[in-house]
Amino acid sequence: MEANELIDAWVTDVVLRLPRRQRNDVALELRTLLGEELAERVHGAARPPDAATTLAMLRAFGHPADVAARYRPTLSVIDPADGHAFVRWSIVGVAVIWIIGLLELFSQPRDNSVSLLAVLGAWWGRSALPALWWPGVLVVWFGLSAWSRRRRSTPPAWTPRTASHVHGGRPALLLAMIGIALGLIALAVPRLWIDAIWAGRAPAVVYEVFTYSDAFMAGPGPVLFTVLALYVPLYAAMMWVGQKTPLLRRIEFGLGLAGGVAMLWAVLVGPVFMAPVSDVPMRAAMVLSIVFVLAHAGWRRWRRVTPAPA
Amino acid sequence: MTDSDAFAKLELELRRGVVVLATLSQLRTPRYGYGLRQALAEQGMPIEEGTLYPLLRRLESQGLLRSEWKIEDGPPRRYYALTAEGRRLLRKLVDSWQGMNAAMARLLQED
């Protein structure tokens, strides 16, 4: 290849990565400059520059993609400050989707004539590859937050988030107390809301669907309702103090743990409701709540920092 | 990372910090890319071609440089020179650099 051909190929590779209106002008300038650089390299030589010398010069100049990038302002879709968080959440999210897909696959009745490889192949097509929607969502999320930060004239000020801070403040606590009280009444005495909805003329099957089993009411039920009820005075105390004191935090943790244990007990001891149509979703919700409580406890532990020499 | 790797990376960071100032300082009079690179190299500040030429375009797009094609004794060349805004910025950068340079001289002074 001739020296000029090499230069033209390199210049073309650079300018094709630039905006169309800039291409020809930059191409002419780069060709001229590279010609002069090359002439300097072979200055004094009896023969014209060969392909090896030209290629060495072009490689020293840089990869066309890198050089083209330098012509334009740096574009970061995700802020460098968010880079690690993006990678971490991408991996965690994809792993969770993959595990759920695997659990779903293996929980279905399996035809023995289908090989394990075929089952995994089905998982790959149904869960593994489609899971990539999650990093896509994160790119959009982090990209939008980076864009909104850049639009601000001053960066957002840091807001302290201490362990005693109550998210949402007193209004959030009040709403939580009302929600828990109403939810507790609805759970403990389903007849109240059934009668309210059907004006006292609900079909018998509705009452049957929301009738607790004896096993549940003999053991875990009252414990679970008591634990839920104790959240009301706890949140009232937090409202009164205006923050989560260490004692209130310990009580909140204890109630969470007690609630988790009561739900586990309820799931293990037998049906919660008499009718399977309401029992299955209720127990599934309890299992999900236990998983959430455990995940939250794990997350808190992972976030805990104990200043100490490494 | 070896000592030479660390040195190369940190020296590159130092150079990156002064590339714009060095370039602007040499464009009080119009120069084209290759001539500018030679002028910088002759004064002990070599800048890679792949860095310098795109930088000129970026500074132009920021309104700090203006440019025009000229044909003199050779191929057509694009000449760059400071705009009024570029001159103002250069003065500020020079003041800032001299302040930093004096501070660094004090910091690095050996007892």
Side-chain angles (χ1 to χ4, degrees):
Chain A
M1 223 185 247
E2 295 278 327
N4 282 340
E5 270 184 281
L6 283 170
I7 290 177
D8 281 346
W10 188 89
V11 168
T12 304
D13 263 3
V14 172
V15 298
L16 283 177
R17 292 173 164 92
L18 299 180
R20 184 170 286 278
R21 62 188 159 73
Q22 240 190 332
R23 288 179 189 169
N24 293 338
D25 198 57
V26 171
L28 177 60
E29 185 181 26
L30 271 179
R31 280 192 60 187
T32 310
L33 292 168
L34 287 167
E36 291 187 76
E37 297 278 353
L38 191 58
E40 185 195 75
R41 286 194 177 219
V42 296
H43 183 68
R47 46 190 194 146
D50 58 12
T53 312
T54 311
L55 197 57
M57 176 194 74
L58 293 172
R59 285 184 174 153
F61 210 101
H63 192 282
D66 296 331
V67 175
R70 289 179 202 139
Y71 272 94
R72 312 176 77 170
T74 308
L75 173 69
S76 305
V77 177
I78 296 171
D79 269 356
D82 293 331
H84 289 288
F86 169 73
V87 171
R88 188 165 57 239
W89 283 110
S90 293
I91 291 171
V92 169
V94 168
V96 168
I97 296 170
W98 282 10
I99 290 167
I100 291 172
L102 276 175
L103 291 175
E104 191 187 4
L105 203 66
F106 284 107
S107 65
Q108 289 167 0
R110 196 175 143 209
D111 182 354
N112 286 337
S113 63
V114 180
S115 70
L116 181 65
L117 209 60
V119 173
L120 289 176
W123 167 77
W124 181 255
R126 281 210 315 239
S127 298
L129 282 181
L132 296 178
W133 65 266
W134 172 247
V137 167
L138 287 180
V139 167
V140 173
W141 170 256
F142 280 108
L144 284 175
S145 58
W147 175 75
S148 86
R149 277 201 297 264
R150 280 195 289 266
R151 276 173 59 88
R152 293 182 193 176
S153 51
T154 50
W158 174 73
T159 309
R161 210 171 36 171
T162 58
S164 59
H165 175 72
V166 178
H167 294 290
R170 287 190 169 96
L173 287 171
L174 182 65
L175 282 176
M177 280 166 63
I178 294 170
I180 289 171
L182 292 177
L184 189 60
I185 293 168
L187 280 173
V189 197
R191 174 175 285 277
L192 279 179
W193 60 266
I194 293 171
D195 286 344
I197 292 174
W198 273 276
R201 289 192 294 274
V205 67
V206 177
Y207 293 104
E208 285 165 25
V209 162
F210 291 103
T211 302
Y212 289 107
S213 71
D214 291 341
F216 178 72
M217 289 313 285
V223 175
L224 192 57
F225 294 152
T226 307
V227 169
L228 273 175
L230 286 173
Y231 272 98
V232 176
L234 173 71
Y235 287 167
M238 283 181 189
M239 268 186 77
W240 179 264
V241 180
Q243 60 173 329
K244 292 184 185 179
T245 61
L247 174 66
L248 293 175
R249 285 205 300 274
R250 276 198 293 275
I251 294 173
E252 188 182 31
F253 177 76
L255 284 181
L257 199 66
V261 171
M263 281 190 283
L264 186 65
W265 183 14
V267 169
L268 295 175
V269 84
V272 174
F273 287 113
M274 299 290 282
V277 69
S278 50
D279 180 59
V280 171
M282 176 53 107
R283 288 209 284 167
M286 285 182 169
V287 170
L288 276 179
S289 300
I290 294 165
V291 169
F292 176 78
V293 167
L294 290 175
H296 187 247
W299 181 74
R300 282 171 64 102
R301 187 169 178 77
W302 177 75
R303 273 181 61 88
R304 197 166 62 189
V305 175
T306 312
Chain B
M1 192 188 288
T2 64
D3 279 357
S4 60
D5 285 345
F7 173 76
K9 279 194 172 181
L10 293 173
E11 200 213 12
L12 187 65
E13 289 294 317
L14 284 177
R15 282 186 165 275
R16 276 191 189 142
V18 295
V19 161
V20 170
L21 179 55
T23 302
L24 292 178
S25 73
Q26 297 304 299
L27 291 174
R28 292 182 181 98
T29 54
R31 288 182 195 269
Y32 69 100
Y34 179 69
L36 171 64
R37 199 172 87 78
Q38 282 191 315
L40 287 164
E42 278 165 15
Q43 293 176 74
M45 180 58 72
I47 298 177
E48 287 178 8
E49 313 93 305
T51 300
L52 181 64
Y53 302 153
L55 174 66
L56 293 170
R57 292 278 179 159
R58 285 210 314 277
L59 294 173
E60 186 184 16
S61 70
Q62 290 168 24
L64 303 174
L65 300 180
R66 58 183 160 71
S67 70
E68 60 178 335
W69 285 100
K70 282 186 189 171
I71 303 174
E72 289 173 346
D73 54 338
R77 288 165 175 154
R78 197 174 179 101
Y79 280 76
Y80 295 86
L82 290 174
T83 60
E85 193 186 340
R87 284 180 192 281
R88 274 196 297 276
L89 183 78
L90 176 61
R91 276 195 294 274
K92 280 187 179 178
L93 286 175
V94 168
D95 286 347
S96 178
W97 166 256
Q98 284 169 344
M100 278 192 274
N101 201 23
M104 287 307 297
R106 285 192 298 275
L107 288 170
L108 299 176
Q109 198 171 34
E110 290 185 36
D111 294 328

